[in-house]
Structures are given as structure tokens and as C-alpha cells.
């Protein structure tokens, strides 16, 4: 694992974008795993800028998103399809045929999940997977207690997650009950991981993931088992870490 501590969110996001751009320039047809949520927004903004100002080319890139709510159409403003379209896809020159976001409207979710796993393999596997982390240590929708070997599947959202989401919907009934998510095992198959975290609210989760015991109670702690995991954090999210960490991913010295 290579932990990179940056002064603030902006510096963290820009550095993460430099890493993604480096991988993309080395492999123009790379397979990029993407996350939603507030954390990667700065990274996406910087990638959009790099495409505009530096000609960073996404035309041959294939993407796979981590998760999506079941029952929300792509046009719903709370769907992850919509989020990705608004915050990244519409701004860069990705070929829409190369974009994969789990289909929350699938008639047969199990069949879809199996297909998603196969499709990742068909595309050569994920080269670099971007990840956020939940305050409770979740990655994608793999909440504490999720199998560390799990694959893409349907998950029931916890009461807390549904309550957190309620503010985005008109009625409580509309709040999704299920989500499709890549499993922890699916995420671990990516050749490189790029986990991002900022703000003090993530400090405990980052501490548990990076320096805590490997446990299903903190699914993100599985990154300790990955041969090439980068953890990019701002000072606030790093505030509980006690190890000595770098400020450059270019050193390539994995601990
Ligand atoms: C989103 C995802 C989630 C988020 C996590 C952090 O695709 O997989 O695990 O990464 O909940 O969310 P934010 O970034 O909003 O704090």
C-alpha cells in the first residue's frame, strides 16, 4: 500500500488525477473503475480540465462503475448513471459504448450481475479502480460484514443508509431499498486501487482501513491485501494515522 498525504482536498484531487493521467497515457485503452459520491468530484473535475487543456484522451478508455440503486432509471437525478453523466461522462470524450454502470432497472438482477463480472473480464480486467470510503469503512455498497470475497450482487441497503438518502427523495417510499454493487472480491481483482478520502469524518475509517486489523467489519481494510493500492488522503482524513507516509506516488515503494 502506498499512502499519500496531501495538504488539502484540492491537492489530493489533483495528485490523484496525475496518477490516472499517467496510467492513461501509458495505456490509452485502459479499463478504469469509477466511483460516485462527493469524494471523487475533485478528481473528475481535474480530469475534465486535463482533457480540455492538455488533450488527455479518453476515446479508447472503457469504464466500469462500482454501483447503482435498484429501481432508479438512468434519468433519475439520484441515480448513479445520472451522477456520472453530469459530473464526468458528458464532459470528456469517452465513447458511450465503452461505459458500464450497473443497470438498476434490470429485469433479472442476478443475471445482470453475472454478466457484469464477465464483461469486466472480457474487457481485460480493471486496470485502475477509483474508490471512496464510507465513514463506517464500506467500499462501494459493501457495508461492514460483507464477505471479503464477494462478487457483483444485489445488496439490501441498511436503515441508516436509507435514512441518509431520504433527503434526496420526495417520499420515503421512493428511497431505494436495494443496490447492485461490485463485490469486495471484484474490486480486489483490479490491477491497481486508488482509494480517496478527505475530511475528519473519514479519519476513523482511514485509520481502520490502513492501520487496523484486516476484518469484514471494515471492508476497506482488504486493501492491505492488495499488491498495488494507493491511498490518497488529505491532512484531515490522515489525522489519526500514526505511520510515516509519503507525499509522492512516484516513489513506487509499496509498503
Ligand atoms: C460510491 C461508493 C461509495 C462511496 C462512499 C463515500 O460509488 O461506492 O462507497 O465511495 O460512500 O461517499 P462520499 O464520497 O460521498 O463520502
Amino acid at each position: 500500500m502506498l499512502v499519500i498525504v496531501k495538504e488539502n482536498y484540492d491537492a489530493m484531487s489533483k495528485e490523484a488525477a496525475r496518477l490516472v493521467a499517467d496510467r492513461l497515457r501509458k495505456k490509452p485503452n485502459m479499463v478504469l473503475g469509477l466511483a460516485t459520491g462527493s469524494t471523487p468530484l475533485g478528481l473528475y473535475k481535474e480530469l475534465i480540465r486535463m482533457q480540455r487543456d492538455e488533450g488527455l484522451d479518453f476515446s479508447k478508455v472503457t469504464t466500469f462503475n462500482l454501483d447503482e440503486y435498484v429501481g432508479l432509471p438512468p434519468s433519475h437525478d439520484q441515480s448513479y448513471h445520472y451522477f456520472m453523466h453530469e459530473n464526468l461522462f458528458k464532459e470528456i470524450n469517452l465513447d458511450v459504448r465503452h461505459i458500464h454502470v450497473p443497470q438498476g432497472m434490470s429485469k433479472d438482477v442476478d443475471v445482470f450481475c453475472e454478466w457484469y463480472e464477465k464483461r469486466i473480464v472480457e474487457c481485460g480486467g480493471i486496470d485502475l479502480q477509483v474508490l471512496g470510503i464510507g465513514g463506517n469503512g464500506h467500499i462501494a455498497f459493501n457495508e461492514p460484514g460483507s464477505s471479503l470475497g464477494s462478487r457483483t450482487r444485489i445488496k439490501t441497503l441498511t436503515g441508516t443508509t436509507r435514512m441518509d438518502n431520504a433527503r434526496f427523495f420526495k417520499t420515503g417510499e421512493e428511497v431505494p431499498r436495494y443496490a447492485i454493487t461490485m463485490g469486495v472480491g471484484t474490486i480486489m481483482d483490479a490491477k491497481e486501487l486508488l482509494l480517496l478520502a478527505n475530511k475528519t469524518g473519514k479519519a476513523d475509517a482511514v485509520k481502520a482501513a490502513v492501520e487496523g486489523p484486516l476484518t469484514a467489519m471494515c471492508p476497506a481494510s482488504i486493501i492491505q491485501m492488495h499488491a498495488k493500492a494507493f491511498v490518497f488522503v488529505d491532512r484531515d482524513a490522515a489525522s489519526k494515522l500514526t505511520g510515516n507516509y509519503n507525499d509522492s506516488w512516484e516513489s513506487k515503494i509499496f509498503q
Side-chain angles (χ1 to χ4, degrees):
M1 184 176 355
L2 199 56
V3 181
I4 316 289
V5 184
K6 288 285 166 190
E7 207 42 50
N8 53 41
Y9 178 68
D10 193 48
M12 177 195 88
S13 302
K14 287 192 171 137
E15 201 59 19
R18 282 212 318 121
L19 188 147
V20 175
D22 175 77
R23 299 306 191 257
L24 175 50
R25 289 194 184 103
K26 285 181 180 142
K27 187 177 177 188
N29 64 345
M30 77 181 291
V31 179
L32 182 58
L34 297 169
T36 59
S38 55
T39 312
L41 284 175
L43 160 67
Y44 296 159
K45 220 170 115 197
E46 180 63 4
L47 290 176
I48 293 165
R49 190 203 62 75
M50 286 174 141
Q51 141 125 63
R52 191 186 60 228
D53 301 343
E54 298 168 18
L56 192 65
D57 181 14
F58 292 86
S59 62
K60 297 191 178 70
V61 172
T62 296
T63 66
F64 283 91
N65 261 81
L66 288 170
D67 41 18
E68 176 60 291
Y69 292 117
V70 169
L72 293 192
S75 57
H76 194 289
D77 64 2
Q78 292 306 317
S79 74
Y80 288 176
H81 275 81
Y82 188 89
F83 177 98
M84 290 309 302
H85 179 75
E86 287 302 304
N87 293 298
L88 184 66
F89 297 158
K90 73 172 187 189
E91 307 286 353
I92 56 173
N93 67 333
L94 264 175
D95 181 334
V96 288
R97 292 169 304 179
H98 297 169
I99 293 173
H100 303 84
V101 181
Q103 291 297 338
M105 298 299 283
S106 305
K107 285 213 176 66
D108 190 329
V109 173
D110 292 340
V111 169
F112 176 81
C113 292
E114 232 174 87
W115 175 83
Y116 206 65
E117 288 277 333
K118 278 199 199 115
R119 184 77 192 131
I120 293 173
V121 175
E122 255 169 40
C123 293
I126 294 170
D127 290 303
L128 176 66
Q129 176 66 55
V130 175
L131 295 169
I133 181 171
N136 62 2
H138 73 224
I139 43 174
F141 267 117
N142 299 288
E143 298 288 356
S146 291
S147 157
L148 296 180
S150 52
R151 311 302 306 186
T152 303
R153 68 209 183 290
I154 185 166
K155 290 280 288 177
T156 308
L157 304 185
T158 60
T160 330
T161 304
R162 290 194 72 225
M163 254 150 47
D164 285 351
N165 288 343
R167 64 184 189 279
F168 301 119
F169 295 86
K170 283 192 209 94
T171 64
E173 266 311 292
E174 274 180 72
V175 186
R177 290 171 190 280
Y178 305 99
I180 295 174
T181 182
M182 275 190 207
V184 180
T186 320
I187 293 167
M188 285 295 284
D189 285 347
K191 289 160 203 139
E192 293 187 304
L193 300 180
L194 171 53
L195 187 145
L196 303 169
N198 66 302
K199 297 194 181 159
T200 38
K202 297 290 172 72
D204 285 324
V206 168
K207 167 83 180 164
V210 172
E211 296 178 346
L214 176 63
T215 166
M217 293 319 286
C218 174
S221 63
I222 193 70
I223 58 171
Q224 296 174 25
M225 295 288 288
H226 199 284
K228 284 188 117 190
F230 297 91
V231 178
F232 279 51
V233 278
D234 72 349
R235 289 236 166 268
D236 292 338
S239 57
K240 300 214 167 153
L241 295 177
T242 52
N244 273 333
Y245 298 111
N246 308 298
D247 64 0
S248 168
W249 50 269
E250 281 150 319
S251 67
K252 295 194 181 107
I253 302 167
F254 283 88
Q255 280 144 344

